[in-house]
Amino acid sequence: MIALLISLGLGWATARDTKVEDVKTTVFVTDIHCESCSTKIMNNVPALGKGIKDVVVSVADKTVAVTYYTSKNSDEKIVKGLRSLHVEATPVAQCKPCCIVPPVTPEQAQKMNAGPQTDCCKDN
Amino acid sequence: MRCLFVFMVVLTSLGVCATNDDVLSDSTVALHEVEVESSMSGNYLSGSAVEKREMINSIGLKKMACCTLAESFENSATVSVGYSDAVTGARQIRMLGLAGVYTQFLDESRPTMRGLVSPYALNYTPGDWLRSIQVSKGVASVTTGHEAITGQINLEYRKPTDDERLHVNFYLDDMLRPELNLTSAIHFKQDKSLSTIIMVHGSIDTDWREMGAMDRNHDNFRDLPNTRQVDVANRWLWLLPNGIQLRWGARYTAEDRLGGQLNYHRQSGDAERQLFFERFDAESGYAKPLSVYGSHVTNHDASAYLKVAMPLRHIVTDGQGGEWQDNVALVADWSHFDTRSYFGYNGYNAHENSVSLNLRMDHYLAPHSSLAVGVQGRMNYVRGAMLNFRYRPIMLSAMPNHYSWLQTLLDEHLDEREIGAYAEWNTTLRQRLTLVAGMRVDYNDWAKQWLVTPRLHVKWDITPRTTLRASGGMGYRTPRAIIENLGMLATGLDIINATMYLPGRALFPNDVTDLKAPGKRNYNNLEKALTVGGSLTQTFTLGRDQRASLSLDYFHTHFLRSLFVTQEPLAGYVLFYNSGATNYTNTWQLDFNWTPVERLNVLATFRYSQSRVGLPMLAQGGPEQGVYYLLTNETQTVERALTSRFKGVLNLSYATRFRIWVFDITGQLNGPMRVPVAGGNIQESYHSPTYGQLFAQVTRKIGHAEVYVGCENITDYRQKDPILGADDPFGPQFNSMNVWGPLMGRKFYVGVRWNLY
């Protein structure tokens, strides 16, 4: 009985971790510049691929925040999907902090997905 | 960046960058605020427009297949769509209980779809080319002319600045009729300051299914004509660095429409009819009569436009960042329409050329007060001829195979020139009360009349959620008796131009061969009407929706002079004549819009119309002079024929997140209409039944594409006998004008839309 309870507990904990890992939110820095760009993205969410949970577009910040299931999609696929809508996008963690609007500290950038950093300034 | 151009705009197009200060506007319609398109409601009432205005945005246009502009109004009770007759299949609308000819159509604020093209124009605007439609009731702004009597419908097309480099819409229905729409926006500069859009539409009836499928009521006539159509349009936009905006474009439509009996074919039918008239001998009256009844209509429509807008130096500011700049605009339009048509023996050929110029200046007196002044000129030239030919056998023992023929030939010759000036003052007081007062004066040299057109609109925001609107004004239009009543040629009735006959003069229906009209038509009287009305709109919280709305409106249109076309006073004849007799409508409408849960929208609307006309009484002469009739001053007021008393629409629309799945269902309830009888006895007319229709559609987004599947007229309700006397189509009882219900039954369709960015 105790072994069964321990197993159930471990299984529940594992499932929680899995559930958290399954969903990811990535903020992309884009070249969008007006409301019609935002409307275009929101009208074509399926173009970003499968497993999309939420999309939030900020024209003022030129960002697109995408929440998705990692088992069904990836940052690369979403970038490709945005490119098919004529929107160039780069995950914010890959941008130099000074280029990001609003600016983030290096510590905040490190907390996001680590990876090679791109000079996004030329795209803004 | 400074806002370079501030027109009075209706901004519902999705293709316009509203956040940039260089506002790009294709429209010049009186409004004060930018419209914010609801993310859910496809059909909604405008909160900021000074007129009672119903908006149909891209979501609303996608609720049904919306192959043409006509289908776009199936969710609206404001606009009812029907058929002019059962042979040509031409769609026509009704607004405020009156025919669609009293509604002014605008192509991004430029008057369009008028003159000879008006009976067919609804079919020449593919629904897929449109971004949105604004339907305004009552008289409209004087800046667009004097013709809007019942209302105005403004069409917003896809823009050169759209993001879709290629858009494809393919449609197929269960009659195996394919339609293809292609649009392509091309930007020559990265900031889209030089852009163009090309739009192409093609459709064809294949007749691949058995003949029986095209004749479900088994009267041996096609339920709808076999139609082939091609439309091409090209629009340009050029924003110059100095602030000048140039817009120009052109379009062309070619249509071929074959109707009539099932075994009537294009080439053989044309050849047989031509042979008949070549061999027809006016003296002996002999030629082999036509064996099959057929109708063939061939139309060509071309138009072009140029709009130039330039900012002026004068600017007013409100001290809070708002700026309004004076501007001047020039709009030039040209159009050409050619129609060749026949209906059995009857025929109508005509062409029209029109040119118009509008020069307008907007001057801002204060931040919320402006004055628009302008001059406008127009030239219309129409040349046409109508043949009303009745060929009936009279068997005489001494002369077997002798036929008696009756022929009426009406020449149509219209040289119309008009010049006018207008001024419109637009002001908002304390952000609560908006007044739009306009005056227009035109001189029409065809009617030899001065037209004075005063119009007033008032909008009072009693509370932030309660709006009262009122409007009133005059309207005038040049009637086109033949083309606007083309269905009368698809009958066996004799057509009499009674405008030549003043009351007291005799009509000689038995000797109609003498009724050859003079070189010019004599109905040189413009139609003149007064329309007044108002509405009350209340926005309130209902459940989770804080923006539910309820609106009630009433409009009254009273004609001071109009052209009557009626088959009722004299048995066997269609009369058209000018008259100041009774002619009015009263219309009440209730609209309800509610979003009970997220992404579920409920739209309910109900319209009731009371429409009356005064038909002339005829006095009959004595036998010693032959039977003749006198058109008297006496009239009897009757319910206007073929106008539904009421119409109700209920639309439910639900979309999943990001509109991956969209479900639309629409129910219509159509009230009875008085159906005229051509027997001359109005007491014998009857009312059509009340009937319902159901439409449904499911849409699914897949990647860059959208697939839609739907069904129109799910209950398969049809008017069983739209054609009277179908067993003797060349006889006097043949009549296809009395259409009150659907001609086609249930129709399934499937389609796909795909975008490349």
Side-chain angles (χ1 to χ4, degrees):
Chain A
M1 179 63 73
I2 294 174
L4 179 63
L5 287 173
I6 292 172
S7 301
L8 286 172
L10 283 174
W12 176 72
T14 306
R16 277 189 60 193
D17 291 339
T18 302
K19 196 173 179 180
V20 170
E21 290 171 357
D22 263 354
V23 179
K24 175 185 172 185
T25 298
T26 301
V27 178
F28 296 88
V29 178
T30 69
D31 59 352
I32 62 173
H33 57 282
C34 64
E35 279 301 323
S36 72
C37 308
S38 168
T39 305
K40 177 176 61 176
I41 293 170
M42 297 307 293
N43 282 345
N44 290 279
V45 168
L48 305 184
K50 296 181 181 179
I52 304 293
K53 278 201 70 180
D54 196 10
V55 177
V56 178
V57 180
S58 171
V59 177
D61 296 341
K62 297 191 179 185
T63 58
V64 178
V66 182
T67 304
Y68 62 94
Y69 291 105
T70 55
S71 58
K72 296 182 181 179
N73 214 326
S74 65
D75 286 355
E76 291 73 27
K77 287 181 183 175
I78 293 173
V79 168
K80 189 177 173 185
L82 287 170
R83 191 172 294 131
S84 73
L85 300 177
H86 244 242
V87 175
E88 287 302 320
T90 306
V92 67
Q94 298 177 9
C95 292
K96 290 182 179 176
C98 64
C99 305
I100 301 166
V101 178
V104 300
T105 64
E107 289 76 20
Q108 286 173 324
Q110 275 185 350
K111 283 183 182 175
M112 299 173 189
N113 292 335
Q117 295 198 334
T118 305
D119 184 359
C120 305
C121 294
K122 65 178 184 295
D123 297 326
N124 289 341
Chain B
M1 290 180 65
R2 170 170 291 180
C3 182
L4 298 178
F5 282 101
V6 181
F7 293 98
M8 290 181 285
V9 300
V10 174
L11 183 69
T12 56
S13 169
L14 297 175
V16 178
C17 283
T19 55
N20 275 8
D21 286 340
D22 51 334
V23 173
L24 311 175
S25 168
D26 282 315
S27 297
T28 311
V29 179
L31 247 197
H32 300 280
E33 301 170 15
V34 167
E35 283 292 344
V36 177
E37 176 180 311
S38 164
S39 61
M40 185 62 219
S41 300
N43 297 60
Y44 59 98
L45 295 178
S46 166
S48 57
V50 67
E51 309 99 343
K52 172 78 184 291
R53 182 173 295 168
E54 178 182 331
M55 318 286 282
I56 305 173
N57 61 16
S58 59
I59 293 173
L61 289 171
K62 288 181 183 177
K63 286 185 178 179
M64 296 188 182
C66 287
C67 306
T68 66
L69 178 59
E71 284 92 352
S72 309
F73 299 118
E74 293 288 2
N75 283 328
S76 170
T78 303
V79 179
S80 299
V81 186
Y83 293 93
S84 63
D85 63 88
V87 172
T88 65
R91 305 298 292 270
Q92 63 179 15
I93 66 164
R94 282 193 173 271
M95 187 191 251
L96 299 188
L98 293 172
V101 294
Y102 299 112
T103 301
Q104 185 182 39
F105 278 87
L106 301 177
D107 175 349
E108 299 177 352
S109 301
R110 295 178 301 107
T112 185
M113 295 165 62
R114 55 184 176 181
L116 296 184
V117 74
S118 58
Y120 304 103
L122 290 178
N123 284 75
Y124 295 168
T125 306
D128 199 59
W129 287 11
L130 300 175
R131 278 290 186 213
S132 65
I133 302 172
Q134 298 97 47
V135 181
S136 301
K137 294 161 75 168
V139 292
S141 168
V142 296
T143 60
T144 53
H146 53 69
E147 290 161 323
I149 291 175
T150 56
Q152 201 174 54
I153 295 177
N154 185 46
L155 309 176
E156 291 284 338
Y157 284 80
R158 290 177 181 267
K159 311 293 181 187
T161 51
D162 279 359
D163 291 315
E164 292 89 356
R165 283 188 293 163
L166 180 65
H167 166 81
V168 179
N169 183 2
F170 179 75
Y171 162 98
L172 186 70
D173 64 23
D174 59 4
M175 290 298 290
L176 299 180
R177 172 189 167 85
E179 289 195 12
L180 180 66
N181 288 284
L182 296 170
T183 68
S184 175
I186 303 169
H187 309 138
F188 295 97
K189 294 190 176 179
Q190 197 171 5
D191 62 356
K192 301 182 182 178
S193 59
L194 180 60
S195 306
T196 185
I197 186 166
I198 300 168
M199 297 181 282
V200 178
H201 166 92
S203 58
I204 184 169
D205 283 310
T206 58
D207 285 355
W208 281 348
R209 296 184 61 178
E210 302 85 13
M211 286 291 185
M214 294 181 283
D215 177 25
R216 293 188 60 195
N217 59 354
H218 307 294
D219 60 0
N220 203 35
F221 275 75
R222 288 175 175 273
D223 294 335
L224 280 180
N226 177 299
T227 306
R228 302 170 183 176
Q229 183 176 328
V230 169
D231 306 272
V232 181
N234 181 212
R235 294 172 171 242
W236 288 80
L237 167 69
W238 190 12
L239 306 176
L240 299 173
N242 57 8
I244 294 177
Q245 286 195 12
L246 289 166
R247 289 178 170 82
W248 68 97
R251 64 171 294 165
Y252 174 75
T253 294
E255 186 195 33
D256 186 286
R257 193 184 280 251
L258 181 80
Q261 292 181 302
L262 294 178
N263 49 345
Y264 193 83
H265 304 287
R266 276 183 176 84
Q267 289 182 342
S268 58
D270 287 354
E272 186 187 5
R273 188 174 184 274
Q274 187 174 352
L275 193 63
F276 169 85
F277 281 106
E278 284 174 357
R279 292 183 175 177
F280 182 78
D281 186 327
E283 290 187 1
S284 70
Y286 180 75
K288 185 182 175 188
L290 299 178
S291 56
V292 183
Y293 184 95
S295 162
H296 193 188
V297 179
T298 306
N299 294 332
H300 297 271
D301 181 48
S303 64
Y305 71 92
L306 170 67
K307 294 162 78 171
V308 182
M310 186 172 71
L312 302 175
R313 287 189 179 181
H314 181 250
I315 297 174
V316 297
T317 61
D318 61 0
Q320 297 172 357
E323 284 187 352
W324 293 263
Q325 186 171 12
D326 287 9
N327 56 81
V328 64
L330 174 69
V331 180
D333 272 283
W334 166 82
S335 67
H336 170 82
F337 181 74
D338 184 274
T339 180
R340 297 189 183 279
S341 58
Y342 65 77
F343 312 85
Y345 292 112
N346 294 337
Y348 178 66
N349 294 339
H351 67 265
E352 179 175 21
N353 288 292
S354 295
V355 176
S356 71
L357 282 174
N358 186 4
L359 179 64
R360 167 181 173 160
M361 190 188 85
D362 288 276
H363 170 62
Y364 287 86
L365 307 167
H368 297 286
S369 181
S370 65
L371 181 67
V373 295
V375 291
Q376 192 168 21
R378 187 163 61 112
M379 295 187 288
N380 275 350
Y381 298 98
V382 177
R383 298 290 182 272
M386 183 206 81
L387 172 66
N388 178 215
F389 192 95
R390 285 82 72 210
Y391 192 69
R392 298 181 185 134
I394 297 178
M395 304 305 294
L396 299 176
S397 59
M399 299 178 65
N401 296 326
H402 182 81
Y403 296 83
S404 173
W405 56 270
L406 303 170
Q407 170 176 264
T408 304
L409 186 67
L410 289 183
D411 288 328
E412 196 169 24
H413 185 111
L414 172 69
D415 288 343
E416 184 184 30
R417 287 168 288 267
E418 195 173 90
I419 184 82
Y422 56 84
E424 185 174 87
W425 178 51
N426 194 322
T427 187
T428 301
L429 305 173
R430 298 191 180 187
Q431 298 182 342
R432 284 280 189 92
L433 183 65
T434 301
L435 295 172
V436 179
M439 174 63 80
R440 186 186 176 100
V441 179
D442 298 87
Y443 179 72
N444 185 300
D445 79 334
W446 174 71
K448 300 288 187 291
Q449 293 180 23
W450 285 93
L451 313 177
V452 178
T453 312
R455 289 181 179 172
L456 177 67
H457 295 85
V458 178
K459 173 176 171 276
W460 179 23
D461 293 318
I462 304 172
T463 73
R465 295 192 147 212
T466 310
T467 302
L468 181 68
R469 292 178 170 90
S471 67
M474 298 295 301
Y476 306 85
R477 63 177 298 274
T478 307
R480 308 288 176 89
I482 301 169
I483 198 70
E484 291 166 5
N485 298 278
L486 207 57
M488 62 184 177
L489 294 177
T491 68
L493 302 173
D494 295 343
I495 299 170
I496 296 182
N497 172 10
T499 58
M500 300 186 299
Y501 294 86
L502 297 175
R505 289 188 58 182
L507 306 176
F508 293 93
N510 288 337
D511 192 18
V512 292
T513 56
D514 289 343
L515 279 179
K516 289 193 178 177
K520 291 187 178 182
R521 289 186 314 180
N522 196 34
Y523 28 101
N524 57 345
N525 273 311
L526 301 179
E527 294 187 296
K528 179 178 175 182
L530 170 70
T531 299
V532 295
S535 69
L536 183 64
T537 304
Q538 178 69 47
T539 307
F540 52 95
T541 300
L542 183 62
R544 296 168 65 176
D545 185 7
Q546 297 181 349
R547 301 292 302 174
S549 68
L550 187 66
S551 176
L552 175 66
D553 67 54
Y554 165 76
F555 285 89
H556 171 79
T557 300
H558 181 90
F559 280 89
L560 301 170
R561 175 162 289 279
S562 56
L563 180 73
F564 284 76
V565 180
T566 173
Q567 56 180 303
E568 294 188 276
L570 190 59
Y573 296 89
V574 173
L575 303 181
F576 54 95
Y577 58 95
N578 278 306
S579 175
T582 302
N583 188 349
Y584 69 86
T585 66
N586 292 309
T587 306
W588 295 263
Q589 182 162 329
L590 190 66
D591 299 285
F592 173 66
N593 203 322
W594 181 38
T595 303
V597 298
E598 194 178 359
R599 296 188 301 276
L600 172 64
N601 184 250
V602 177
L603 173 70
T605 179
F606 185 83
R607 185 241 333 133
Y608 181 83
S609 293
Q610 179 193 47
S611 196
R612 298 287 182 269
V613 291
L615 295 180
M617 309 283 281
L618 299 182
Q620 189 170 346
E624 63 275 8
Q625 298 169 320
V627 176
Y628 68 93
Y629 299 92
L630 289 172
L631 196 65
T632 70
N633 280 322
E634 300 293 320
T635 62
Q636 55 174 326
T637 301
V638 299
E639 184 180 347
R640 190 185 309 271
L642 299 175
T643 302
S644 69
R645 286 182 180 172
F646 62 82
K647 180 179 178 183
V649 175
L650 176 63
N651 171 254
L652 302 175
S653 183
Y654 177 71
T656 62
R657 199 138 197 228
F658 306 123
R659 300 185 68 81
I660 304 293
W661 287 93
V662 180
F663 304 89
D664 287 291
I665 186 164
T666 300
Q668 283 182 6
L669 184 67
N670 295 279
M673 298 185 190
R674 188 178 72 83
V675 183
V677 290
N681 185 357
I682 292 175
Q683 307 307 321
E684 293 179 1
S685 65
Y686 61 95
H687 284 83
S688 64
T690 300
Y691 69 92
Q693 278 191 288
L694 208 55
F695 304 79
Q697 180 176 286
V698 177
T699 307
R700 169 78 158 99
K701 277 189 184 172
I702 304 171
H704 285 236
E706 264 183 346
V707 179
Y708 56 94
V709 176
C711 185
E712 295 181 2
N713 196 0
I714 295 172
T715 54
D716 199 27
Y717 187 89
R718 291 173 290 120
Q719 181 178 349
K720 297 290 188 297
D721 53 352
I723 299 178
L724 304 176
D727 54 343
D728 182 20
F730 298 107
Q733 304 301 322
F734 180 72
N735 192 336
S736 69
M737 284 177 69
N738 295 344
V739 179
W740 52 262
L743 298 178
M744 290 295 290
R746 185 186 305 124
K747 180 173 77 172
F748 291 98
Y749 60 87
V750 64
V752 60
R753 301 184 191 99
W754 178 78
N755 293 319
L756 174 69
Y757 291 94

